[in-house]
Amino acid sequence: MPITINGVEHELDVDPRTTLLDFLRRDAGLTGTKKGCDHGQCGACTVLLNGQRINSCLTLAVMHEGDSVTTIEGLGTPNAPHPLQAAFVRHDGYQCGYCTPGQICSAKAMLDEIAAGWASVVSDDLAGTPVLSEDEIRERMSGNVCRCGAYSNIVAAIVDVAGARA
Ligand code: FES
Ligand code: FES
């Protein structure tokens, strides 16, 4: 069964040791997803797997037959950017931009997690609907490292989009 990436089916005819990250970049030609640490520590390789965020360097491509993956290329285009992509530009939420695809994929999933009522370690009420505070955003984005330190602008971009949703 093929894997679907950004709505397009791809055959998983690869060495079974190929990570999903390498499959995306090398075999599917989607180089928007970045390889930072290759060890699950930086978040640069974050993509959406069936709508939920994962580190694509920590999973093998052949484990995802029949799954649906969305990469940064699937969220928006230069002419029709996703609201988060537009907000990152508006707030200058990047410097080198290397971490940005992972940050944006992570932010998309994180906002969906809050909308679904998932608590985090900083949520006051584990049973209630989480309040989208900057503390929540910083905690939930803590798996995405930015070596340039663009964090304050990244948070501002996410607050902007979260506010527009509310
Ligand atoms: S490249 Fe996957 S977490 Fe760093
Ligand atoms: S903008 Fe450079 S690593 Fe984040």
Side-chain angles (χ1 to χ4, degrees), residues 65-109:
E65 286 193 351
D67 282 342
S68 176
V69 173
T70 304
T71 70
I72 191 69
E73 293 95 336
L75 281 185
T77 64
N79 290 333
H82 184 277
L84 279 163
Q85 292 171 315
F88 268 62
V89 172
R90 209 159 48 241
H91 290 275
D92 207 7
Y94 50 84
Q95 289 179 33
C96 74
Y98 198 83
C99 68
T100 309
Q103 299 274 9
I104 290 176
C105 286
S106 205
K108 161 85 176 76

Side-chain angles (χ1 to χ4, degrees), residues 21 34-45 55-58:
L21 173 58
K34 297 294 184 272
K35 182 185 286 192
C37 63
D38 211 17
H39 284 79
Q41 294 173 348
C42 73
C45 65
N55 289 340
S56 59
C57 68
L58 288 186

Side-chain angles (χ1 to χ4, degrees), residues 40-55:
Q41 294 173 348
C42 73
C45 65
T46 305
V47 298
L48 307 180
L49 178 75
N50 302 326
Q52 293 183 8
R53 51 185 172 164
I54 59 158
N55 289 340

